[in-house]
Amino acid sequence: MYLWIVVAIAVTAYLYLEWRNRNAAKAERDAKPPVTTKELNTFLDSLEAARLPMAGLHPVDGDPSMTASRIGGPLWSPEETQWPSDEDGNPMLLAAQLNFAEFDGLNEFPDKGILQVFLQVGEDGQLKWLDPHEGFRVRWFPEPSQGVVQQVPERLAMAKRGMFRTEQARQRGVALRSEVTSAPANSYIWPYSDREWELVDRNPADDTAAEMLEGWEERMEQLADLPSEHWVGGHPSFTQEDVRHDPELHDLDRVILHLGFDKHVCMGDAGELNLMIAHKDLLARDFAKAYCTWDCT
């Protein structure tokens, strides 16, 4: 008897708080100037104006050549060298290799050269949470030659619970077919996420604006829906929040590499990785200033 009374009081209190919060939100929204069709269209135009070239990276069957763009696999180097390791001497994971000679038409990026991305992993092969300025390494070879190949260290090749879900990715590498296209900005990334909220958190000024707002979320999802899980160029994508809300990271406006989730790659729970760089540093080919981050659900 007493339990039911306690439950009833708790439910009533919850419903009251929900009602109060909804009314407070409505009152706050009603106090703002209505959003106009012109404002909504201006925002859409800004997304299109921020369109950037990108190369979608599509996994294909077969073993890749050692200088080709790929996910995982052996280490190519222009000369004999040690497999990159972290500060404790543990081998780092070759997450991806990009051969820019394959990306014809990817403006602002090199037209040749090989870039490799290494990540720090634990004993079980799982990615470590990155200090964005540490825990990863980028190697850049602007004039690749014939080179030599090292097989994947056993610790990484056998890490079935790590970032790579398949033996192909862990040991031989996953070949990538590139498709150069372009992508607009979207409302899920900085600074557009902040600007969008200022618009959609207001009442529509007329029926046309109301109609636009009714289909707004679907439209934003379509803009953010890309034909590949991995890419070079374009805009970043995050499982959680865009790290560039931090003012110190505002200049990271180009994506060197984005890795998503597929049958070969899984970071945490369907995570995403972004290797980003400032436009000026990309043009200077100063990849030492790249910033790497990954997140998951």
PDB file of all heavy atoms in Angstrom, residues 125 132 255 280 293:
ATOM      1  N   GLY A 125      45.377  -5.180 -28.183  1.00  0.00           N
ATOM      2  CA  GLY A 125      45.174  -4.653 -29.525  1.00  0.00           C
ATOM      3  C   GLY A 125      44.131  -3.563 -29.614  1.00  0.00           C
ATOM      4  O   GLY A 125      43.947  -2.967 -30.675  1.00  0.00           O
ATOM      5  N   PRO A 132      45.370  13.912 -28.155  1.00  0.00           N
ATOM      6  CA  PRO A 132      45.359  14.248 -29.579  1.00  0.00           C
ATOM      7  C   PRO A 132      46.696  14.671 -30.152  1.00  0.00           C
ATOM      8  O   PRO A 132      46.867  14.686 -31.367  1.00  0.00           O
ATOM      9  CB  PRO A 132      44.339  15.389 -29.646  1.00  0.00           C
ATOM     10  CG  PRO A 132      43.450  15.178 -28.471  1.00  0.00           C
ATOM     11  CD  PRO A 132      44.365  14.650 -27.403  1.00  0.00           C
ATOM     12  N   VAL A 255      40.350  17.516 -43.529  1.00  0.00           N
ATOM     13  CA  VAL A 255      40.420  16.130 -43.072  1.00  0.00           C
ATOM     14  C   VAL A 255      41.437  15.372 -43.917  1.00  0.00           C
ATOM     15  O   VAL A 255      41.262  15.234 -45.129  1.00  0.00           O
ATOM     16  CB  VAL A 255      39.048  15.446 -43.168  1.00  0.00           C
ATOM     17  CG1 VAL A 255      39.149  13.961 -42.787  1.00  0.00           C
ATOM     18  CG2 VAL A 255      38.033  16.146 -42.280  1.00  0.00           C
ATOM     19  N   LYS A 280      46.301  25.859 -43.886  1.00  0.00           N
ATOM     20  CA  LYS A 280      47.642  26.372 -44.195  1.00  0.00           C
ATOM     21  C   LYS A 280      48.708  25.302 -44.019  1.00  0.00           C
ATOM     22  O   LYS A 280      49.700  25.256 -44.778  1.00  0.00           O
ATOM     23  CB  LYS A 280      47.961  27.596 -43.329  1.00  0.00           C
ATOM     24  CG  LYS A 280      47.971  27.326 -41.834  1.00  0.00           C
ATOM     25  CD  LYS A 280      48.292  28.598 -41.047  1.00  0.00           C
ATOM     26  CE  LYS A 280      48.246  28.364 -39.543  1.00  0.00           C
ATOM     27  NZ  LYS A 280      49.228  27.375 -39.086  1.00  0.00           N
ATOM     28  N   THR A 293      41.912  12.246 -33.459  1.00  0.00           N
ATOM     29  CA  THR A 293      40.964  11.955 -32.387  1.00  0.00           C
ATOM     30  C   THR A 293      40.007  10.852 -32.843  1.00  0.00           C
ATOM     31  O   THR A 293      39.742  10.706 -34.037  1.00  0.00           O
ATOM     32  CB  THR A 293      40.162  13.211 -31.998  1.00  0.00           C
ATOM     33  OG1 THR A 293      39.242  12.902 -30.936  1.00  0.00           O
ATOM     34  CG2 THR A 293      39.363  13.744 -33.182  1.00  0.00           C
TER      35      THR A 293
END
